[in-house]
Amino acid sequence: MKVRIDRERCQGHNRCVDMCPGVFDTDELGYAVALAGVVPPEHESDARDAADSCPERAITLDEDGG
Amino acid sequence: MAKTKPAAGGRGGNESDPNGESSNFNPWDPEQRPHRAAQFAAMRSGCPFAHTEHDGGYWVASRYADVFELAHQTNLFASSPGVMIPPIPRAPQMHPMETDPPRHEALRKLLLPRFTPKVMAGWKPKVRGVINGLIDDFIEDGEAELTEALVKPLPMFIICTMMGIEDDIDKFWGWIENIIYGRLEDDPTAMNGACDALYAYMTELVAKRRAEGGGEDLVSLLLGADLEDSWMTEADMIGTCFFLLIAGLDNTGVGIRNGLRHVASDAELRDRLHGEPRLVATAIEEVLRLYTPVSGLCRTATKDTELEGRPVAEGERVLLLFASANRDETEFPDPDSFRVDRKINRHIAFGAGIHRCLGSNLARLEIRTAVEEVLRRMPDVRLCEGEDPDWFGFDPLRVEFTPGVREGEGA
């Protein structure tokens, strides 16, 4: 599974880093960054919940990627 | 208590409101408040852009998708004319909440690093210490009125510390309540007086910090930034300080109160959270969704436009009703129910778009930690017999519990 964050859409709600800290982090302004382009298998479920809870729809997961 | 002003246009006479449900809509009317869930649902299904005659007349966006869309149309729907309905006539422009692009960005970027999740995590021991000191003052009593004993002092201590004004902590609640809730009174005297007093305080504070220089607090951060050629005047600096204090107290306090109120009113949930503290974070998101502290903020049309065929003239206001958006059945299954396991929760209690609440991580920290510590020290906390407090504002929150022991110094 691959993860991509749309930096134009992210407004720093920080729901992703809260729900799935194994995949998401924040920069110095509080905007989301992905720790790696590929989601470790053990974090896939949390990553899906985080993507589905992003108020700005800024997270894209590619289930076939990685 | 707020009084209901008669609607200038009368009831149900609005063409855009065929159901006659919403022309008298007033989210601040204590008579309407108990029915708001049904009222919001009726607006969403019958008239998603209702027009109300209250407070000078304004449109109300009630559906999730519409509120979200409008919050992102910053060119067409501006914040700088003011986002409060009813307004605070003598308040300065409250930056960055009431700032439009392109001015908004530099100020936002200046403040954001102070409110990231990592920075806020560093404040957790302090927040926990403040909460436990406050709980020590009533833990032996077996009963408490939490609004005055915990809900109000906690955010006051934290935001005042961040702004470096903790020595004046006793001054602020009276002013803030007269400003925020005085807006809802017919007589503006108390609101205006409090507004002028807070403005004078912030004017003096900015002058003092400018003379001292070099502090670590938020006011010094504003003054120390390289804003020489920027748009910010002295009045804008004061307006920013004015806003940071109000936002750090009122909205945060209401969120803390709603978290504690819900836990104390639902024994099953309380016991579950006590046994599984990791669920507190999810539960608090559900509290924020269901009891949205800032029920709505408005935008002002920058030119003639329309909302699904309804003509909206330049200068007309639209209320983004976050509290209704957060109960939209097309976004949230079973929207009026509290579901602690609602993992997927795209609520917009902190708004959306560029004005997403700057202090959302601070608010979350205070609400979560308050609930965690109350559950730890008062595991059987419950509302007093016969109490059914509303989730609006700062009404008393009376609870009882098995008395415990003090934990702090000199306990």
Side-chain angles (χ1 to χ4, degrees):
Chain A
M1 179 191 276
K2 280 185 178 170
V3 57
R4 192 172 57 80
I5 296 164
D6 185 337
R7 294 298 301 266
E8 293 294 306
R9 294 181 81 99
C10 175
Q11 296 292 346
H13 290 257
N14 302 133
R15 298 280 284 128
C16 56
V17 67
D18 207 32
M19 296 178 76
C20 186
V23 171
F24 301 99
D25 197 0
T26 55
D27 66 14
E28 72 284 0
L29 292 177
Y31 294 109
V33 290
L35 291 168
V38 178
V39 178
E42 67 271 26
H43 295 313
E44 286 188 357
S45 172
D46 284 347
R48 274 189 209 101
D49 287 342
D52 288 342
S53 293
C54 173
E56 308 288 348
R57 283 98 174 139
I59 301 169
T60 309
L61 296 175
D62 178 359
E63 296 278 347
D64 300 325
Chain B
M1 268 301 180
K3 292 176 190 70
T4 312
K5 296 187 183 89
R11 232 175 237 273
N14 192 320
E15 279 178 27
S16 65
D17 182 21
N19 294 341
E21 292 281 354
S22 317
S23 63
N24 198 35
F25 176 70
N26 178 5
W28 312 118
D29 181 351
E31 309 253 315
Q32 293 186 29
R33 279 210 302 271
H35 313 291
R36 63 200 135 186
Q39 193 182 31
F40 295 168
M43 277 197 284
R44 285 193 305 270
S45 65
C47 187
F49 291 107
H51 192 274
T52 174
E53 306 301 333
H54 280 280
D55 291 309
Y58 58 94
W59 299 89
V60 184
S62 51
R63 290 187 304 209
Y64 184 98
D66 296 328
V67 171
F68 183 86
E69 185 64 26
L70 288 164
H72 287 81
Q73 292 180 335
T74 52
N75 289 333
L76 193 52
F77 293 98
S79 293
S80 55
V83 300
M84 308 281 279
I85 295 179
I88 309 169
R90 293 165 81 102
Q93 191 173 353
M94 293 192 277
H95 302 292
M97 176 177 68
E98 296 181 330
T99 319
D100 289 319
R103 291 181 162 187
H104 174 265
E105 191 177 354
L107 178 58
R108 178 96 176 168
K109 282 189 169 165
L110 177 69
L111 293 168
L112 275 171
R114 297 295 182 101
F115 295 93
T116 64
K118 280 175 201 147
V119 171
M120 284 301 119
W123 280 83
K124 177 121 184 167
K126 179 105 179 167
V127 169
R128 194 187 286 127
V130 171
I131 293 168
N132 281 303
L134 293 164
I135 292 177
D136 271 355
D137 289 341
F138 59 76
I139 189 69
E140 294 170 328
D141 301 341
E143 61 180 4
E145 194 289 280
L146 292 181
T147 298
E148 293 298 329
L150 180 59
V151 165
K152 288 162 71 170
L154 169 61
M156 172 66 76
F157 195 86
I158 300 302
I159 193 66
C160 287
T161 304
M162 291 180 82
M163 295 180 74
I165 51 176
E166 57 270 39
D167 291 347
D168 293 322
I169 212 158
D170 295 332
K171 296 183 183 203
F172 301 121
W173 265 117
W175 291 343
I176 300 292
E177 287 194 293
N178 274 323
I179 292 170
I180 298 295
Y181 300 96
R183 285 186 306 145
L184 313 178
E185 303 289 336
D186 287 330
D187 180 356
T189 311
M191 169 177 65
N192 290 342
C195 227
D196 292 349
L198 182 57
Y199 192 88
Y201 178 88
M202 289 302 175
T203 305
E204 201 176 308
L205 175 68
V206 166
K208 194 168 134 218
R209 284 284 189 285
R210 202 185 282 288
E212 291 165 353
E216 288 296 306
D217 58 279
L218 289 170
V219 183
S220 299
L221 173 74
L222 275 175
L223 295 172
D226 184 18
L227 296 166
E228 282 294 306
D229 298 321
S230 112
W231 52 272
M232 282 197 100
T233 65
E234 194 78 358
D236 291 318
M237 295 281 184
I238 294 162
T240 309
C241 297
F242 193 99
F243 168 64
L244 289 172
L245 183 68
I246 289 183
L249 293 180
D250 178 63
N251 315 331
T252 317
V254 172
I256 296 166
R257 183 178 172 280
N258 287 342
L260 296 173
R261 173 191 158 278
H262 191 86
V263 167
S265 65
D266 183 340
E268 195 180 324
L269 173 73
R270 177 199 67 200
D271 293 347
R272 189 164 172 205
L273 294 180
H274 183 250
E276 295 178 79
R278 62 177 186 82
L279 284 179
V280 168
T282 327
I284 295 309
E285 296 308 314
E286 188 67 338
V287 165
L288 289 163
R289 182 188 72 80
L290 206 52
Y291 315 116
T292 304
V294 180
S295 59
L297 296 171
C298 79
R299 299 290 186 265
T300 301
T302 57
K303 60 180 182 185
D304 292 351
T305 182
E306 60 172 53
L307 295 169
E308 284 189 2
R310 300 160 182 82
V312 174
E314 178 183 345
E316 283 197 280
R317 298 170 301 168
V318 186
L319 183 70
L320 311 187
L321 195 56
F322 304 122
S324 172
N326 282 340
R327 288 170 179 250
D328 190 325
E329 41 286 280
T330 64
E331 178 65 29
F332 306 98
D334 194 13
D336 291 322
S337 297
F338 184 97
R339 285 177 26 187
V340 68
D341 57 352
R342 195 188 295 274
K343 280 178 98 177
I344 295 169
N345 191 345
R346 271 185 172 135
H347 74 75
I348 47 174
F350 293 115
I354 63 166
H355 291 289
R356 186 270 306 169
C357 173
L358 179 71
S360 59
N361 293 310
L362 174 59
R364 285 189 166 109
L365 171 68
E366 293 185 31
I367 302 167
R368 286 179 191 171
T369 314
V371 168
E372 286 164 3
E373 295 305 306
V374 163
L375 285 171
R376 184 177 69 80
R377 301 192 62 185
M378 298 174 266
D380 63 348
V381 66
R382 59 205 175 265
L383 295 177
C384 289
E385 190 71 29
E387 294 285 311
D388 183 20
D390 191 21
W391 50 274
F392 173 82
F394 291 100
D395 286 350
L397 185 61
R398 295 185 187 87
V399 298
E400 52 191 18
F401 49 88
T402 303
V405 294
R406 294 165 58 87
E407 292 182 346
E409 287 173 45

